[in-house]
């Protein structure tokens, strides 16, 4: 110790500590939530108290990209969605979500990704609230509608996207052109990208729907029946950071954009759609 010369402090592993029974310790914490076990038994902090998603745990909800079921086995049936949050000067924020037959969500791609630099960086406001600040990923890229359409097609390649959702305010907002009024959805249709405005529901409702997806009994072993409904690829660094840091303390919070796209999907909501559900029913006319 720098303050007490000659002083030494020794820490024991729980199993080796002679001053208490480690079996009793395990028993005492056996029914505690996973984040409590990590903090109290291993000294691993998992949450800040302001976070809106207390159940989000990178050790549980973040998975290796190659371990995602439909990535590991391309024959695995899923329904794919793309959700975007356009902006003026900032790049559009986009995520791709696949829903499997059990209704579990797998966020397998984001844009911008970390190759463009972090979307948000740690920062607290004057009141000490963690609101973050814009990172290099928010620098303008100068894309127009056609550029974004080409980007989507290039990233998706031969993926079959069931539906594309967009920020309800931006998607429906009209703009004047030389040929009259139009909106973003109409503009993107010119490039074979069909967007639908997500339901315009309250932010808190969307936050609750995300927490519903994260909900599971983490005091019991993880099983097929007992597990969260939302998983995120390790490659989606910006979304992972946003889920870990978003406090909802300000509409200008730097992590809000990636939470918004997840929220738009949650309130829609996104579901697994089998081929049979898409079959056209016969009918008649006169």
């Amino acid at each position: 110790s720098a303050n007490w010369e000659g002083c030494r402090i020794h820490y024991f592993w729980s199993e080796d500590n002679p001053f208490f029974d480690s079996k009793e310790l395990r028993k005492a914490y056996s029914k505690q939530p996973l984040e409590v076990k990590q903090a109290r038994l291993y000294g691993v902090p998992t949450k800040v108290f302001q976070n809106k998603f207390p159940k989000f745990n990178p050790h549980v909800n973040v998975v290796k990209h190659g371990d995602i079921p439909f990535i590991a086995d391309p024959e695995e049936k899923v329904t794919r969605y793309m959700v975007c949050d356009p902006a003026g000067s900032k790049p559009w924020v986009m995520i791709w979500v696949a829903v499997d037959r059990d209704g579990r969500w797998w966020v397998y791609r984001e844009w911008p990704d970390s190759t463009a630099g972090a979307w948000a960086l740690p920062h607290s406001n004057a009141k000490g609230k963690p609101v973050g600040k814009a990172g290099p990923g928010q620098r303008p890229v100068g894309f127009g509608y056609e550029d974004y359409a080409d980007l989507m097609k290039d990233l998706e390649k031969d993926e079959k996207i069931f539906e594309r959702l967009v920020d309800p305010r931006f998607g429906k907002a009209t703009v004047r052109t030389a040929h009259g009024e139009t909106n973003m959805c109409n503009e993107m249709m010119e490039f074979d990208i069909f967007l639908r405005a997500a339901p315009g529901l309250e932010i808190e409702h969307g936050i609750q729907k995300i927490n519903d997806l994260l909900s599971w009994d983490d005091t019991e072993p993880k099983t097929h029946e007992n597990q969260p409904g939302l998983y995120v690829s390790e490659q989606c660094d910006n979304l992972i950071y946003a889920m870990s840091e978003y406090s909802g303390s300000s509409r200008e919070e730097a992590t809000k954009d990636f939470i918004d796209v997840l929220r738009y999907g949650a309130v829609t909501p996104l579901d697994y759609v089998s081929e049979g559900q898409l079959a056209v029913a016969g009918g008649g006319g006169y």
Side-chain angles (χ1 to χ4, degrees):
S1 171
N3 294 325
W4 299 315
E5 188 176 351
C7 176
R8 300 291 183 269
I9 300 175
H10 297 274
Y11 294 95
F12 295 97
W13 289 107
S14 298
E15 291 82 357
D16 300 327
N17 195 326
F19 299 103
F20 64 85
D21 188 340
S22 63
K23 292 182 180 179
E24 288 298 319
L25 183 69
R26 286 196 294 270
K27 182 178 178 181
Y29 282 94
S30 62
K31 295 297 182 181
Q32 291 294 321
L34 184 60
E35 61 267 20
V36 174
K37 293 177 184 176
Q38 289 178 319
R40 299 296 175 84
L41 298 180
Y42 300 99
V44 179
T46 57
K47 285 291 155 200
V48 291
F49 73 92
Q50 300 97 337
N51 184 268
K52 284 286 187 180
F53 307 110
K55 280 283 189 177
F56 181 77
N57 188 327
H59 299 289
V60 175
N61 302 98
V62 178
V63 296
K64 292 183 178 180
H65 192 75
D67 290 344
I68 295 175
F70 63 91
I71 300 295
D73 179 9
E75 297 300 316
E76 185 75 21
K77 299 293 184 182
V78 292
T79 303
R80 299 175 190 253
Y81 297 84
M82 191 278 291
V83 191
C84 70
D85 184 14
S89 60
K90 293 189 300 186
W92 292 9
V93 167
M94 297 180 276
I95 59 170
W96 283 258
V97 184
V99 183
D100 65 19
R101 285 174 284 192
D102 293 320
R104 293 174 300 184
W105 287 29
W106 302 87
V107 184
Y108 64 98
R109 181 187 297 126
E110 68 179 14
W111 194 91
D113 59 21
S114 57
T115 60
W119 183 262
L121 298 172
H123 179 72
S124 297
N125 62 16
K127 296 182 179 180
K129 292 184 177 180
V131 297
K133 62 180 179 180
Q138 296 195 31
R139 293 170 182 156
V141 292
F143 280 10
Y145 291 122
E146 186 172 8
D147 297 307
Y148 280 111
D150 289 342
L151 172 68
M152 294 175 197
K153 295 172 185 176
D154 182 57
L155 291 173
E156 295 163 1
K157 296 181 173 62
D158 58 351
E159 293 174 5
K160 185 177 181 181
I161 305 300
F162 178 72
E163 190 171 38
R164 302 177 190 275
L165 300 168
V166 65
D167 174 357
R169 293 172 302 169
F170 202 107
K172 294 178 180 179
T174 57
V175 294
R176 289 189 175 277
T177 69
H179 305 288
E181 289 188 343
T182 186
N183 58 41
M184 174 193 162
C185 294
N186 291 337
E187 290 292 325
M188 292 299 287
M189 284 174 60
E190 296 293 323
F191 307 107
D192 296 321
I193 296 293
F194 300 93
L195 297 167
R196 178 169 75 89
L201 302 179
E202 290 293 326
I203 291 176
E204 283 303 319
H205 177 67
I207 298 299
Q208 182 58 58
K209 297 296 286 185
I210 295 173
N211 278 317
D212 286 345
L213 288 167
L214 294 167
S215 179
W216 70 296
D217 185 358
D218 58 9
T219 66
E220 296 293 334
K222 184 181 174 187
T223 65
H224 184 78
E225 291 76 24
N226 180 41
Q227 62 174 304
L230 172 64
Y231 294 94
V232 182
S233 165
E234 63 183 347
Q235 297 181 359
C236 299
D237 295 319
N238 289 319
L239 178 60
I240 293 168
Y241 180 75
M243 293 290 290
S244 301
E245 294 294 317
Y246 179 70
S247 67
S249 59
S250 169
R251 287 184 176 270
E252 303 303 318
E253 197 165 347
T255 54
K256 181 177 180 291
D257 306 284
F258 273 92
I259 299 304
D260 282 346
V261 285
L262 196 62
R263 183 169 58 83
Y264 299 149
V267 299
T268 297
L270 310 185
D271 293 309
Y272 174 76
V273 181
S274 67
E275 293 182 3
Q277 290 174 286
L278 293 174
V280 178
Y286 61 92

